[in-house]
Amino acid sequence: MSKGFASSSRQSLLVVLVLGCFACVGARLVWLHVIDREALLKFVSQARYRIDPLPGRRGEIVDANGAKLAISRSLIVLGVDPQMLRKEDEAKWPRLASLLGLSSGELAVIFNTKVRPAALRKPESTPAPANPAGVVLNLNVTPAEAPLSSQPLIVNGAVGDALDSVDDADVDPMPDARGNRKIRFAKLSETVTE
């Protein structure tokens, strides 16, 4: 078999160069991961936790005449957890009410309503006759049968409408022994700008 155009000395030189390159890469890896590890870890940990916010604003959508169809406006939904309120902060409530454009009474009702009452049960009704003569409508609703939305909510002497904060509040999923559920978030305003 012929060796072609390469001599033994050239092949040996090529093998030595390739092995030398692998030895250099291995030595550099040992240097980075074993010898100089602590200094490099400090640099890497700082680089990983750097946060660079890039603020961006969405453009406005306009029609052919330049009239604005849609604009971007950032708003904050401000709410409160009535369970976490402190008594010493009660003096700040009037100032907060004026900033939000609410009356002090409305704010006090939201802050002091700590539980959602259990749904009122309708009393047991009498069974319907076996052969009804026609359609019978009972339009007499007693106060106990009235829906929850028409019941006033009385909190520490203040009367408020229970529906104002029913849809805007998150409650605990598990009721207590009386069937009441703690309110964990009650919306104060959704028109607060950044």
Side-chain angles (χ1 to χ4, degrees), residues 31-111:
W31 179 266
L32 292 176
H33 288 280
V34 177
I35 299 171
D36 202 21
R37 182 172 191 258
E38 295 301 322
L40 293 174
L41 275 180
K42 291 177 187 174
F43 174 74
V44 170
S45 64
Q46 290 175 355
R48 286 186 182 169
Y49 295 112
R50 187 176 69 197
I51 298 173
D52 293 331
L54 301 174
R57 186 176 177 275
R58 293 175 61 185
E60 298 172 346
I61 300 173
V62 295
D63 65 1
N65 298 325
K68 295 178 183 175
L69 298 175
I71 61 172
S72 294
R73 188 175 80 184
S74 298
L75 295 176
I76 299 171
V77 177
L78 181 65
V80 65
D81 182 355
Q83 309 298 324
M84 302 302 291
L85 293 174
R86 298 182 304 184
K87 196 70 171 169
E88 58 266 13
D89 291 336
E90 199 167 326
K92 300 175 186 176
W93 292 3
R95 173 75 176 133
L96 179 62
S98 67
L99 289 172
L100 295 176
L102 299 172
S103 69
S104 296
E106 290 173 329
L107 192 69
V109 167
I110 293 171
F111 280 1

